[in-house]
Amino acid sequence: MTMSQTLQAAFNDQIQLEFSSAYTYLGMAAWCESRDLAGFARWMRAQASEETQHAMKFLDFVLERDGTITLQPIEAPSGGFSSVLDVLEQALGHEQRVTAAIGRLYGQASEEGDYSSLPLLQWFMGEQVEEEATVRQIVAELRMVGDDTSALLLLDRDMGGRRGPPPDAA
Ligand code: MG
């Protein structure tokens, strides 16, 4: 069964959102890098590459369903951050918007009876639960760190190590 035009349009919107996410994380990576927070920067870069893989996963799916890809422009992300906590709070807000968007896509596919889309969207819903939990934890730790630069350096080291999502995770 071919996807409806409206569902194809919604998937194309999601592809744009995933590429925007990659761009958002790339901007955050650059901000962290320029403030010598190499661990946070590395983590943000890994996020950016994961978001690109999400976009590709949606893109491949649409093509597999004989749908049409219409790539949309990607806006420049806002580069204004007041602190690394602000960066992570914005990242959390962004992930929450992505979760809501995938939820709407799931709802639309269900309503149309496009059941072939549901396993993929289900996978993304699970992925979003993990993303939000990870970012929420980092936000909590940054709040604990407060103005303590020694603690921030330790957290930065931690971010650059075990908490970097594997680059091939998709
Ligand atoms: Mg994503």
Side-chain angles (χ1 to χ4, degrees):
M1 188 179 90
T2 313
M3 293 165 97
S4 72
Q5 292 297 323
T6 50
L7 197 57
Q8 284 183 42
F11 267 88
N12 274 287
D13 287 347
Q14 189 61 35
I15 290 166
Q16 195 254 9
L17 184 58
E18 298 292 344
F19 277 123
S20 296
S21 300
Y23 226 39
T24 295
Y25 278 119
L26 204 56
M28 291 173 171
W31 188 93
C32 292
E33 193 92 50
S34 68
R35 274 143 192 94
D36 299 316
L37 293 167
F40 278 95
R42 184 184 175 276
W43 190 88
M44 292 292 172
R45 274 180 193 236
Q47 287 291 105
S49 106
E50 202 180 78
E51 298 303 344
T52 303
Q53 287 170 47
H54 287 169
M56 296 308 291
K57 215 171 163 105
F58 279 116
L59 184 142
D60 287 339
F61 183 76
V62 172
L63 291 175
E64 214 167 18
R65 297 285 308 280
D66 202 24
T68 304
I69 293 295
T70 312
L71 291 177
Q72 300 165 22
I74 303 167
E75 272 182 46
S78 74
F81 305 108
S82 59
S83 63
V84 66
L85 174 61
D86 184 36
V87 172
L88 270 292
E89 280 174 340
Q90 290 198 32
L92 181 58
H94 185 79
E95 289 299 343
Q96 287 165 340
R97 283 191 293 280
V98 172
T99 303
I102 294 170
R104 283 193 297 274
L105 199 49
Y106 191 98
Q108 192 179 338
S110 306
E111 263 173 44
E112 289 190 17
D114 194 291
Y115 301 113
S116 308
S117 294
L118 300 188
L120 178 81
L121 296 171
Q122 192 74 56
W123 181 88
F124 272 103
M125 294 300 291
E127 182 75 3
Q128 284 307 118
V129 170
E130 277 179 37
E131 289 290 333
E132 282 192 36
T134 304
V135 179
R136 204 178 297 116
Q137 176 66 29
I138 301 166
V139 166
E141 290 180 24
L142 276 169
R143 287 194 182 131
M144 288 183 231
V145 162
D147 293 332
D148 184 344
T149 45
S150 310
L152 181 61
L153 281 176
L154 282 175
L155 186 55
D156 184 60
R157 204 163 289 180
D158 186 52
M159 290 293 289
R162 63 183 169 85
R163 272 201 287 208
D168 60 346

